[in-house]
Amino acid sequence: MAYVPGVALLAALVVGCSAGADGNANGADSKAGSPTVSPAPPGKYLTLPAPCRAVPRSTLKDLLPGAAELPGDQQDKVFRGSAAVTYDTDRKVGCGWKSDAPSATRSLSIDFERVVSYDPGVSDDDRADTVYAKKEKAAGLSSSATPGPPEEKDKKGEESEGSEESGKAKDPADTDATGSADPSPSGSSSESGQDTDGTPGSSSSPEEALPSRILDNLGDAAFLQDLPKRAGSTAQHHTVSVVFRTSNVVVTVRYAEQPALITQVPDGRELQEKAQALARKLAEALSE
């Protein structure tokens, strides 16, 4: 008889636990009514193109003058390109080409980055937009920016018309190339004016080139960065980059020229036009 109270107490505890479990099963738990979060949709692209095959040979012949005149084996090597070193070809790939002609050296590279969000609440597209926005900011641009800031024009208001034209074209790109304000642009414009006295037409191309800017009608978002600069004291070097995003893929096109002679200046407008044309072809190919 001494053990009966203990047995009765144990039975009561078991019954109480069972009742609690039934209560949870019937939805008594407060967590059961919490809303379910649906995972964000995946990006459009699950794979990336073969980068060294992404540019047709006919386009490479136009972008790399002089390569078509090379002997067969050398020509094939140039047009074949060199794949970028990457450790995850599902996420990032690239390729580069280079041609050396008597008048100048041209180089081209393209990079594809497929962005994947590991946050179920953030879509691949949104994550790719963040990656693109960082590149845009690093180039000194923003979606609300407009080519040729008014303050740049005002600074040149007291200078001669020729110096003003050169300053407007070169200052934004010079700032982008260095990543910070360079105290030399205004002096460079003045020196450039003196240099052109001895070498007529040498600065005409930089004046014609447009500054870094946001681009319309290219992917979901795009910008162009123009980077004219001197390569040491022997030659001019001009690089144009076009970056665009389409869904969850960010593409970068870099096109550059370095003339053989110091008196020659690359045609910045031509470089920009050809880089943009290639970027649009890549965007069209991705959308197919």
Side-chain angles (χ1 to χ4, degrees), residues 15-86:
V15 171
C17 292
S18 299
D22 290 340
N24 290 336
N26 292 328
D29 190 350
S30 60
K31 294 182 180 179
S34 59
T36 302
V37 179
S38 300
K44 177 180 178 180
Y45 301 102
L46 303 179
T47 60
L48 290 172
C52 292
R53 299 178 184 176
V55 184
R57 177 169 287 215
S58 58
T59 301
L60 289 173
K61 287 182 178 180
D62 178 54
L63 295 173
L64 304 172
E69 284 71 41
L70 294 172
D73 292 345
Q74 297 181 31
Q75 183 180 143
D76 290 340
K77 182 179 180 180
V78 170
F79 291 141
R80 186 163 55 245
S82 178
V85 177
T86 178

Side-chain angles (χ1 to χ4, degrees), residues 193-232:
Q194 296 174 0
D195 292 340
T196 54
D197 292 339
T199 55
S202 63
S203 63
S204 60
S205 295
E207 290 180 354
E208 294 174 357
L210 297 174
S212 302
R213 61 196 181 278
I214 302 298
L215 299 177
D216 296 325
N217 303 319
L218 176 56
D220 296 316
F223 70 86
L224 179 148
Q225 186 177 21
D226 188 270
L227 303 172
K229 62 179 180 179
R230 292 185 181 276

Side-chain angles (χ1 to χ4, degrees), residues 82-95:
S82 178
V85 177
T86 178
Y87 299 99
D88 188 351
T89 54
D90 287 333
R91 295 288 301 279
K92 193 170 185 178
V93 295
C95 191

Side-chain angles (χ1 to χ4, degrees), residues 119-136:
D119 184 345
V122 179
S123 69
D124 292 347
D125 283 19
D126 288 342
R127 176 58 183 159
D129 189 49
T130 299
V131 172
Y132 166 82
K134 289 181 179 179
K135 294 178 180 293
E136 188 180 274

Side-chain angles (χ1 to χ4, degrees), residues 155-175:
K155 291 179 182 179
K156 301 297 180 180
E158 298 179 359
E159 297 181 4
S160 64
E161 182 178 356
S163 298
E164 180 180 359
E165 293 290 339
S166 178
K168 286 190 292 184
K170 295 174 70 176
D171 282 355
D174 288 342
T175 300

Side-chain angles (χ1 to χ4, degrees), residues 28 67 84 113-114 141 186 189 200 237 260:
E113 180 177 359
R114 186 174 70 90
L141 300 169
S186 59
S189 298
H237 186 88

